[in-house]
Amino acid sequence: MSAQSSTIKPASYPAAVSHDSNRGHMHGTAIATAFGAASSVSDSHHEDHQRAGVDFSLIFNMSRQNGKPKLSPSDTLTDFSAVDDASDADMIPFRSASQRPPSPIKVLKLHHPNDLKKKSPGSRKCRMAIAIVVGLMLLGVAAFLAVHFVLVNQPITIPVITPVEATLESMPNLKVSGRQIVYPNGTVFYGRGANMGSWFIMDSIFSGFTGVDEFDFFNITDRRFGQNVSRSLMHTYIDNAMTSTDYDLLRLMGFNFVRFPLHFRNFQDKDGNWINYTDRPTEIDFSRLDYAISNFTSRGLYVQLDLHIWYSRDILYEGISKNDIGLATNDPTLYAECVKWRGMAATFLRGLTEHVVGVPGILGIELVNEPVPSYENLLSQVLYDAVRSADPDRIIVRHFGIDRVAPAVYNWTNIVYGFHTYEGDQDLSGYKLNALNKTAEAYDLPYYVSEVHFADPDDFSAAVNWTFSHFATNVNVPMYAIWTYKAVNMDEWALVNYDSSYIVDIINDSVEEIEATWKQMPSLDLATSLSSWGRSLIS
């Protein structure tokens, strides 16, 4: 595949994208409806005669009455019509005039086979016209499908971007200014981003292995193989699930930042202890994170780090948030555990923030993903303090779904409120968007749609187009990140998909089988593995 080299230029917000993937579906539905309507008319006509109780055997055995010819079983039944004259009543020998339903009723008109040879010219023309119309419709459908096939399957070249090491001059630290995010010189930053949802967090749904949540991989492989092998398998997945072409493709799609969800097990053991380099026992092993950040930033992509999976989430999801009045008295054991879990999350964030201080291209640190509200915002305060103790200037992202409070109440600075939506464009264009705007205006801060996807496939294309174009022109929505860039066999849930052959069974597969599957990941041809959503982002 040929490719061109290019040098990174300062990221600019792309124009809105168009998406026509549903047109084929709409045409097909119209055609199906037309044929379905014709079929239903015929069926209902037949049912009318069944309800009338017509006995065809009696009709065939009728004798001559009122001058009408006697018919044999070889005679043919044709034409359904309404009859309203009494003389036709004797056509139905099993009904007397008194038994006949109120006219008009639908009965069978009988014709001798010889009469069928006398075709009506009007009838013949009508049938020919119908045949022509149907033929033209079928030709139109065939032409549309042919064009659609060509457009969808046209080859895509992913240009090779020559990595340029990021500096604080080329990728300076961003900051909050009122309702906007800006560069140091005051230029507004509009963030168009993608979530790295299936990568470091080892999500069983998006990463393609048996299980139901982000803890199953570690819980199952820890039990089967032990922590060391479990960690080695995680490294195999991380090392193979993204290639240099992926980073280039993200820029080709128009993104200028990524949201990077993290699992505490990326850098800690199952008990929350840091894992250090073997040859540098006092230094935390962030090597794979460093490699990823370098690849993103060297292509002009900012990185927003997110504590997505914290210790104790699988034990008690709301545990790190719990500090209810009376908990210490009513359940001192649980209270002590919650204090410990909250402290472990703070330790993780402090260590992560310390590691990226001064690293160019770090957009911000997200305190925790989708937490449960905490009394008097204690969880947010503890985690905010942990980040600020390591970096007083970094943008902090706080989830908007928990207690909504003005940052000034707690002296929180350089902070962005984020929220998630999976309900389509109506969700964003209606009450939620208005409520968010009002709240953000009252608090004088920007809000950030840190996860967005569209659950209704019928509205998918319209929702994508509306949202992207809306965010591109709305100064009140400085950033958004779609969910998600890459996944295993998830269709329109991802921009790029591995097929089902990359799914592994962590319950039964051997270590060798799992590794063999994941080591095939770099061979994926990204240009032919795009979902229609992913393809629509490439202009």
Side-chain angles (χ1 to χ4, degrees):
M1 182 180 299
S2 62
Q4 293 179 330
S5 296
S6 61
T7 303
I8 296 176
K9 297 181 180 179
S12 60
Y13 198 85
V17 291
S18 63
H19 187 79
D20 297 331
S21 64
N22 278 352
R23 291 184 180 174
H25 170 72
M26 292 167 64
H27 286 298
T29 302
I31 293 169
T33 303
F35 281 112
S39 175
S40 63
V41 169
S42 175
D43 291 342
S44 62
H45 212 154
H46 178 62
E47 290 169 3
D48 286 339
H49 291 286
Q50 289 182 322
R51 286 192 293 270
V54 178
D55 187 334
F56 289 96
S57 64
L58 290 176
I59 292 176
F60 273 115
N61 292 312
M62 286 192 302
S63 60
R64 175 180 296 272
Q65 297 180 37
N66 295 336
K68 292 182 171 60
K70 178 180 178 181
L71 299 179
S72 68
S74 64
D75 293 330
T76 305
L77 298 173
T78 66
D79 191 23
F80 293 162
S81 62
V83 178
D84 194 23
D85 55 280
S87 64
D88 280 337
D90 53 16
M91 292 285 289
I92 310 176
F94 46 89
R95 289 191 181 204
S96 65
S98 61
Q99 292 173 321
R100 191 177 59 210
S103 60
I105 63 170
K106 291 182 179 180
V107 299
L108 290 172
K109 276 192 175 181
L110 305 175
H111 298 274
H112 194 275
N114 291 335
D115 295 334
L116 296 179
K117 298 178 182 179
K118 301 175 182 179
K119 302 291 185 181
S120 166
S123 176
R124 185 182 301 111
K125 290 179 180 179
C126 180
R127 286 194 295 272
M128 290 178 64
I130 292 174
I132 291 172
V133 170
V134 172
L136 290 175
M137 290 175 65
L138 292 175
L139 284 173
V141 172
F144 171 81
L145 292 176
V147 172
H148 182 72
F149 178 83
V150 171
L151 291 176
V152 168
N153 293 278
Q154 63 182 342
I156 291 176
T157 299
I158 302 174
V160 175
I161 297 176
T162 302
V164 177
E165 185 177 357
T167 66
L168 288 175
E169 288 71 34
S170 63
M171 299 195 74
N173 291 336
L174 303 172
K175 63 179 181 180
V176 172
S177 177
R179 296 197 61 184
Q180 298 175 330
I181 296 172
V182 299
Y183 293 96
N185 64 3
T187 302
V188 177
F189 172 83
Y190 289 108
R192 181 182 184 182
N195 274 274
M196 298 294 106
S198 66
W199 198 13
F200 273 50
I201 60 174
M202 305 297 289
D203 182 300
S204 60
I205 297 174
F206 291 91
S207 302
F209 44 79
T210 48
V212 294
D213 61 31
E214 298 89 344
F215 279 93
D216 282 345
F217 172 78
F218 296 102
N219 288 341
I220 292 171
T221 56
D222 282 352
R223 184 174 64 252
R224 291 188 64 201
F225 311 122
Q227 278 197 79
N228 290 338
V229 174
S230 178
R231 181 172 173 78
S232 175
L233 285 172
M234 175 188 69
H235 287 167
T236 299
Y237 184 88
I238 290 174
D239 293 347
N240 289 280
M242 286 281 287
T243 67
S244 61
T245 310
D246 283 290
Y247 302 108
D248 297 342
L249 179 57
L250 283 163
R251 282 313 304 266
L252 179 63
M253 289 177 167
F255 298 114
N256 58 7
F257 86 98
V258 296
R259 180 173 181 253
F260 202 152
L262 299 172
H263 196 303
F264 83 94
R265 288 293 298 269
N266 298 147
F267 318 111
Q268 296 177 333
D269 64 18
K270 66 181 182 64
D271 299 315
N273 302 306
W274 292 110
I275 297 175
N276 298 329
Y277 290 100
T278 54
D279 57 342
R280 287 169 281 171
T282 61
E283 188 177 341
I284 301 169
D285 185 358
F286 285 111
S287 58
R288 284 172 173 79
L289 177 64
D290 293 343
Y291 180 78
I293 291 174
S294 175
N295 273 286
F296 287 126
T297 59
S298 66
R299 290 165 173 81
L301 292 157
Y302 275 89
V303 178
Q304 184 249 301
L305 300 171
D306 157 45
L307 174 53
H308 209 82
I309 312 296
W310 59 91
Y311 180 90
S312 80
R313 177 172 159 164
D314 63 332
I315 302 172
L316 184 65
Y317 188 99
E318 67 273 20
I320 60 171
S321 301
K322 290 183 73 66
N323 64 316
D324 313 45
I325 295 175
L327 179 63
T329 301
N330 298 330
D331 195 339
T333 301
L334 177 59
Y335 178 81
E337 286 294 287
C338 292
V339 171
K340 182 184 78 171
W341 296 334
R342 199 158 43 243
M344 293 175 72
T347 297
F348 180 94
L349 283 173
R350 186 180 302 110
L352 176 67
T353 306
E354 287 174 347
H355 182 70
V356 298
V357 168
V359 175
I362 302 299
L363 193 157
I365 307 289
E366 187 167 348
L367 299 179
V368 65
N369 180 70
E370 298 181 354
V372 171
S374 181
Y375 178 66
E376 292 188 341
N377 293 293
L378 178 63
L379 174 64
S380 294
Q381 187 65 62
V382 168
L383 301 184
Y384 176 91
D385 290 343
V387 173
R388 281 286 172 259
S389 67
D391 191 336
D393 301 319
R394 187 74 63 187
I395 286 178
I396 288 177
V397 179
R398 178 178 183 263
H399 192 71
F400 205 63
I402 57 177
D403 296 342
R404 298 179 182 182
V405 60
V409 172
Y410 294 97
N411 295 316
W412 295 337
T413 60
N414 209 26
I415 193 166
V416 175
Y417 280 7
F419 85 105
H420 301 167
T421 178
Y422 288 86
E423 299 174 37
D425 66 327
Q426 198 163 20
D427 174 43
L428 291 172
S429 61
Y431 72 95
K432 274 194 177 181
L433 188 60
N434 293 330
L436 288 164
N437 268 324
K438 289 179 180 178
T439 304
E441 183 178 6
Y443 296 166
D444 192 31
L445 53 71
Y447 67 81
Y448 159 35
V449 187
S450 50
E451 289 183 20
V452 57
H453 197 276
F454 310 95
D456 185 352
D458 292 334
D459 294 334
F460 182 81
S461 179
V464 170
N465 287 332
W466 182 91
T467 303
F468 285 4
S469 61
H470 177 79
F471 289 168
T473 58
N474 191 335
V475 296
N476 297 324
V477 188
M479 294 199 305
Y480 69 92
I482 57 95
W483 186 279
T484 184
Y485 168 65
K486 204 173 192 182
V488 178
N489 201 40
M490 288 299 291
D491 298 323
E492 295 301 329
W493 273 98
L495 304 179
V496 178
N497 273 284
Y498 296 98
D499 62 34
S500 59
S501 66
Y502 290 90
I503 295 175
V504 301
D505 183 354
I506 57 174
I507 297 175
N508 299 300
D509 288 352
S510 67
V511 171
E512 293 75 19
E513 289 172 324
I514 296 172
E515 287 182 333
T517 298
W518 287 346
K519 286 180 179 179
Q520 294 298 313
M521 285 181 159
S523 63
L524 181 73
D525 182 357
L526 298 183
T528 61
S529 303
L530 295 166
S531 64
S532 60
W533 185 20
R535 184 174 283 268
S536 74
L537 299 183
I538 299 174
S539 56

